[in-house]
């Protein structure tokens, strides 16, 4: 689950992590009032108008602007609010900006990068840091990997002070500041707070890019990117208030409510399968034969007829879908249940695109009989390869 920068900073504040004064705004007038308040409080005319979307690289896309005075901030807010912001992390069509964050300007002397992420190889949380703040960390990793420092956190002891201090000295945090020792201590305190937050808030990713050192030697989190692990949602009822449905695919939200695993993709062949492994291999084999999957849809092992019908409706509701491949290996999931769901959904919505079905496993003969007697134009397949070839050919034909 993704949240906005201003929501992440609200969480930062609870853990004592230094942030700039900022106010979220949902209209241009709110943005202007927020700028006036920040200017009055900070005695500085410099404010920053930030687009709030669930994607990085907002500055490069024109979604982060520095303004001098409330009038300039209002003008920038008018330009940004409602725009389709395109960044390297959005789809080609971009993401509409519905929220802004108005923040005080800072006297930035250095920009650093700090993040915590779950490292699957070591099965530990990794603290990553770099002197290349403000840069895409993927670019740094690709071209100058030696500039990324990593400390692995003991799952019992947590992030140790010596690890944070080791990173501080490696980044030369205190260099050129009025009081180097105080700056290092502030950095260490901030990083330790990030480590505590990461565990207690059940994050899967926490990124501060950039973490800045001001001219006065203060260490401030200028950004906040938090991904929350939805597997821990039962422990965090407060997360529901953080969800921004405008930033999420409506079909994916509907699938979640139904108990299905659905991810929208950019292709034109809808996939309905049972099991994540089979879903991945189905998408792979479609691409192997020259097609492009339109979605990842896993109905799981315990789906009933209603869930299967709902899943099929989700696929058919997408205008980009030009063909559907149903690929089921029945174990716990019975083939006749899948067949009933497919038939019910297609009769209700109408089948206007090619449909290829491959069934194998429990009650496979009953499933095939249901499809055969449905009166629908359904192609059957003997195996995955045969099914993929048929659906790709049907879509291209």
């Amino acid at each position: 689950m993704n949240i906005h920068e201003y929501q992440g900073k609200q969480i930062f504040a609870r853990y004592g992590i230094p942030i700039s004064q900022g106010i979220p705004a949902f209209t241009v007038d709110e943005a202007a009032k927020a700028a006036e308040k920040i200017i009055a409080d900070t005695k500085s005319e410099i404010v920053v108008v930030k687009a709030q979307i669930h994607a990085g690289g907002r500055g490069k896309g024109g979604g982060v602007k520095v303004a001098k005075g409330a009038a300039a901030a209002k003008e920038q807010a008018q330009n940004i609010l409602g725009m389709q912001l395109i960044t390297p992390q959005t789809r080609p069509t971009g993401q509409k900006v519905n929220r802004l964050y108005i923040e005080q300007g800072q006297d930035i002397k250095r920009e650093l990068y700090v993040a915590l992420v779950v490292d699957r190889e070591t099965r530990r949380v990794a603290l990553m840091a770099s002197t290349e703040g403000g840069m895409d960390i993927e670019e740094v990793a690709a071209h100058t990997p030696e500039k990324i420092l990593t400390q692995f956190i003991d799952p019992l002891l947590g992030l140790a002070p010596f690890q944070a201090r080791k990173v501080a000295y490696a980044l030369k945090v205190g260099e050129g500041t009025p009081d180097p020792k105080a700056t290092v201590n502030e950095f260490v305190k901030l990083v330790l707070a990030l480590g505590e937050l990461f565990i207690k808030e059940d994050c899967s990713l926490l990124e501060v890019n950039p973490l800045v050192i001001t001219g006065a030697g203060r260490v401030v989190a200028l950004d906040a990117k938090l991904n929350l692990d939805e597997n821990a949602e039962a422990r965090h009822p407060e997360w529901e208030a953080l969800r921004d449905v405008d930033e999420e695919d409506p079909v994916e939200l509907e699938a979640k409510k139904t108990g299905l695993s659905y991810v929208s993709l950019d292709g034109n062949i809808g996939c309905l399968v049972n099991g994540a492994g089979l879903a991945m291999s189905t998408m792979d084999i479609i691409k192997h034969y020259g097609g492009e999957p339109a979605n990842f849809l896993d109905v799981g092992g315990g789906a009933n007829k209603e869930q299967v019908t709902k899943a099929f409706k989700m696929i058919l509701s997408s205008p980009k879908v030009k063909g559907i491949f149903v690929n089921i290996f029945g174990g716990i999931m019975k083939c006749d249940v899948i067949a009933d769901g497919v038939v019910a959904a297609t009769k209700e919505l109408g089948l206007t695109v090619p449909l290829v079905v491959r069934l194998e496993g429990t009650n496979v003969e009953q499933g095939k009989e249901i499809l055969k007697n449905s009166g629908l134009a359904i192609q059957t397949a003997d195996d995955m390869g045969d099914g993929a070839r048929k659906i790709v050919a049907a879509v291209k034909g």
Side-chain angles (χ1 to χ4, degrees):
M1 174 180 169
N2 296 321
I3 62 175
H4 290 295
E5 172 195 356
Y6 76 89
Q7 295 169 324
K9 285 183 174 175
Q10 288 169 353
I11 297 174
F12 277 12
R14 295 207 307 264
Y15 285 81
I17 296 166
I19 57 173
S20 303
Q21 181 179 344
I23 302 171
F26 298 85
T27 67
V28 173
D29 287 341
E30 286 182 7
K33 289 178 182 177
E36 289 172 0
K37 177 171 174 49
I38 291 170
I39 290 169
D41 291 347
T42 62
K43 303 298 187 290
S44 170
E45 288 192 319
I46 305 300
V47 294
V48 185
V49 181
K50 295 184 172 183
Q52 298 294 285
I53 62 170
H54 289 169
R58 292 167 295 159
K60 293 181 180 179
V64 178
K65 296 293 185 180
V66 177
K68 185 176 182 180
K74 183 176 182 178
E75 183 180 347
Q76 293 294 356
Q78 287 174 328
N79 295 335
I80 297 173
L81 195 64
M83 74 182 291
Q84 286 293 126
L85 182 55
I86 300 173
T87 83
Q89 296 183 22
T90 64
R91 293 190 174 185
T93 55
Q95 180 67 36
K96 186 178 180 180
V97 179
N98 295 308
R99 306 183 187 197
L100 298 172
Y101 189 47
I102 314 302
E103 191 174 57
Q104 76 177 101
Q106 290 284 358
D107 175 23
I108 300 171
K109 294 302 180 186
R110 287 188 67 194
E111 295 186 359
L112 306 173
Y113 173 93
V114 174
L116 290 105
V117 63
V118 178
D119 182 76
R120 296 186 183 277
E121 186 174 341
T122 60
R123 299 183 181 181
R124 295 189 173 198
V125 175
L127 167 65
M128 299 169 57
S130 175
T131 56
E132 305 303 295
M135 298 281 291
D136 291 333
I137 198 64
E138 294 83 3
E139 289 292 317
V140 179
H143 302 293
T144 53
E146 70 279 0
K147 292 185 177 181
I148 299 176
L149 310 170
T150 305
Q151 293 286 306
F152 295 102
I153 301 172
D154 188 287
L156 294 178
L157 301 177
L159 180 60
F162 83 86
Q163 291 178 301
R165 195 165 292 276
K166 183 177 181 180
V167 170
Y169 286 123
L171 298 179
K172 299 180 180 178
V173 165
E175 193 173 274
T177 62
D179 187 344
K181 184 178 179 181
T183 301
V184 168
N185 289 339
E186 192 172 336
F187 177 89
V188 169
K189 183 180 178 181
L190 181 149
V191 170
L192 291 175
L194 290 176
E196 180 187 7
L197 183 159
F198 188 92
I199 300 301
K200 288 186 176 179
E201 299 297 328
D202 286 301
C203 299
S204 57
L205 170 71
L206 189 163
E207 186 178 63
V208 182
N209 187 24
L211 177 73
V212 302
I213 299 174
T214 69
R218 290 198 62 230
V219 184
V220 179
L222 209 62
D223 189 27
K225 181 179 180 181
L226 274 71
N227 291 355
L228 307 174
D229 186 350
E230 288 192 340
N231 292 302
E233 197 168 5
R235 290 198 290 264
H236 298 277
E238 74 277 9
W239 284 1
E240 189 57 34
L242 299 176
R243 189 180 297 278
D244 182 358
V245 294
D246 291 333
E247 292 288 317
E248 300 186 41
D249 188 307
V251 181
E252 291 182 18
L253 284 173
E254 187 180 354
K256 183 181 178 183
K257 293 176 184 176
T258 314
L260 303 171
S261 297
Y262 179 96
V263 178
S264 182
L265 302 172
D266 295 326
N268 58 6
I269 297 177
C271 306
L272 190 153
V273 305
N274 63 320
L278 186 59
M280 298 299 289
S281 57
T282 299
M283 292 190 295
D284 284 345
I285 202 164
I286 286 173
K287 290 180 71 71
H288 176 74
Y289 285 107
E292 290 292 336
N295 67 272
F296 168 109
L297 200 164
D298 171 18
V299 297
N304 54 35
K305 178 184 173 181
E306 288 70 30
Q307 284 178 306
V308 173
T309 304
K310 190 73 172 177
F312 208 71
K313 285 181 180 178
M314 288 177 189
I315 295 175
L316 286 172
S317 67
S318 173
K320 67 186 177 185
V321 171
K322 306 303 180 187
I324 301 172
F325 182 26
V326 177
N327 185 20
I328 298 297
F329 186 85
I332 301 173
M333 183 79 258
K334 296 179 176 62
C335 294
D336 57 329
V337 174
I338 291 289
D340 277 333
V342 168
V343 170
T346 51
K347 284 185 175 179
E348 182 178 337
L349 297 177
L351 185 64
T352 58
V353 297
L355 171 62
V356 176
V357 179
R358 177 257 184 170
L359 299 176
E360 194 59 71
T362 306
N363 293 353
V364 63
E365 295 305 325
Q366 293 96 312
K368 288 181 177 179
E369 194 67 22
I370 291 168
L371 295 176
K372 181 181 177 182
N373 297 329
S374 67
L376 301 170
I378 298 174
Q379 293 187 66
T380 58
D382 298 325
D383 53 44
M384 278 180 62
D386 181 41
R389 281 193 297 270
K390 285 180 176 177
I391 192 61
V392 170
V395 168
K396 290 186 174 181

